[in-house]
Amino acid sequence: MSMPPDQEVRAAVDAGEVSLDGDPRVARLVRVARHIEANADEPLTLASLAGIAGVSPSRLQRQFTAAFGVSPKAYQNEVRMRRFRQSLKDGDKVTDAIFASGFGSVSRVYGEATRNIGMPPRAYRAGGAGEVIVYACRPTALGLMAMAATDRGVCFVQFGDDEASLISSLKTEFPNAELAASPAQDAPELDAWVAALDQHISQGAPRPDLPLDMRGTAFQVKVWQFLLSIREGEVLSYSEVAAKIDKPRAVRAVASACGKNRIGVLIPCHRVLRGDGGLGGYRWGLARKRALLDAERKRRGD
């Protein structure tokens, strides 16, 4: 399971796997990546980055994408989004975090930056064809939990009464994928992620910041990405979420996106309520939604 692209580059350089004194082409690309990281809050053009690398813009686009799996623009958005999430963790207000991370507006965070997070529509319709999805189950304070992940990150967190029904749900969500139970020696990251989320649910540890492989339409991904900015113990109504993502008339669509969220707790759709303060719906039952909210309020001292 891979790290986000911006972390992969830094880790490879720090570990000596990518040397600035080795392959000249690799060195040029690393210099471009480091320049993006250092100036992520600035408007960067492909032409200016190509100047750093000493190649044409089209060649840089091809080489950078081939080396790191994302375009220079997408890489810059990855860096910005990571800083945005860190700012929120540090207690900054959402608006302050947006501008401190280099995004020019709320819509840029939940629009442009999320286009590279969701899977392509063709792959989405394919039901996971050609992918291997590893899963594991674990008892938690909310009942039995199943977590599954691709090599991009967690794609499924569900709760149920027995392992058979949870695996059946996973097969329904990804009917054409190859599913494999997780032996720790082959997928240690998943087992660690399952343990970290269990500690959050059952023992009140901080919610783990895990890589997510979101599967949905562009609108659904925009809603889910916004939900990640709602702090623990806070709640918003469906209409407030719609307004925050600059789609004030899409209240029902927001509610539908929350209902179709496959990644429970990690994407905190439980923090969205009806306009009258009622719990509204929850894919895994209102008792679980109430328990999550009560636990978060208790941790905040409310």
Side-chain angles (χ1 to χ4, degrees):
M1 296 170 195
S2 60
M3 294 181 287
D6 59 309
Q7 288 189 318
E8 286 184 344
V9 174
R10 285 197 298 272
V13 173
D14 292 344
E17 297 170 3
V18 176
S19 172
L20 296 180
D21 300 322
D23 186 334
R25 188 180 72 169
V26 172
R28 288 197 300 268
L29 295 176
V30 171
R31 278 197 294 271
V32 170
R34 285 181 163 175
H35 180 82
I36 292 173
E37 293 167 8
N39 301 277
D41 58 342
E42 301 292 334
L44 299 175
T45 66
L46 187 60
S48 67
L49 296 174
I52 294 172
V55 297
S56 68
S58 60
R59 177 168 292 185
L60 174 65
Q61 181 87 346
R62 290 194 302 271
Q63 291 182 350
F64 195 97
T65 302
F68 302 137
V70 292
S71 68
K73 180 63 175 177
Y75 185 83
Q76 183 181 11
N77 283 335
E78 288 271 4
V79 176
R80 285 177 170 178
M81 185 58 69
R82 186 157 294 278
R83 291 179 183 175
F84 170 65
R85 290 178 180 169
Q86 186 59 52
S87 293
L88 292 177
K89 280 187 172 184
D90 293 341
D92 294 345
K93 294 181 179 179
V94 173
T95 303
D96 293 340
I98 287 171
F99 289 99
S101 303
F103 292 108
S105 68
V106 172
S107 62
R108 290 287 296 278
V109 175
Y110 305 115
E112 178 179 338
T114 61
R115 290 176 191 153
N116 301 300
I117 298 174
M119 66 186 304
R122 183 180 300 175
Y124 177 64
R125 290 191 295 269
E131 293 187 280
V132 176
I133 297 179
V134 181
Y135 67 88
C137 297
R138 189 185 188 99
T140 73
L142 296 178
L144 190 65
M145 175 185 74
M147 179 186 290
T150 66
D151 59 0
R152 295 178 63 185
V154 177
C155 63
F156 179 95
V157 174
Q158 305 270 352
F159 299 91
D161 297 325
D162 58 79
E163 185 170 335
S165 64
L166 288 171
I167 296 175
S168 177
S169 295
L170 179 60
K171 290 179 179 178
T172 299
E173 295 289 354
F174 305 100
N176 299 320
E178 178 184 342
L179 305 182
S182 169
Q185 66 270 22
D186 294 334
E189 298 95 337
L190 179 62
D191 292 273
W193 295 348
V194 171
L197 185 54
D198 175 37
Q199 289 175 358
H200 169 68
I201 293 169
S202 301
Q203 303 175 31
R207 180 168 60 95
D209 183 17
L210 305 181
L212 303 179
D213 187 357
M214 300 183 191
R215 307 291 179 113
T217 65
F219 180 84
Q220 289 169 344
V221 171
K222 181 182 289 190
V223 171
W224 299 334
Q225 186 68 36
F226 175 79
L227 297 184
L228 295 174
S229 73
I230 304 177
R231 297 179 188 173
E232 182 175 270
E234 296 182 354
V235 295
L236 291 177
S237 67
Y238 295 109
S239 60
E240 287 173 326
V241 172
K244 292 286 188 181
I245 62 170
D246 295 332
K247 299 289 183 181
R249 297 183 180 180
V251 178
R252 289 187 178 181
V254 167
S256 176
C258 290
K260 292 179 180 179
N261 172 28
R262 299 178 183 82
I263 308 176
V265 184
L266 291 177
I267 298 178
C269 58
H270 60 278
R271 295 174 186 165
V272 188
L273 309 178
R274 290 194 321 223
D276 61 3
L279 288 178
Y282 193 56
R283 184 169 184 165
W284 303 283
L286 294 184
R288 289 190 174 99
K289 185 171 187 176
R290 185 178 295 106
L292 283 166
L293 292 173
D294 287 346
E296 290 184 356
R297 293 189 183 107
K298 183 177 180 180
R299 286 195 290 269
R300 280 175 59 99
D302 295 347

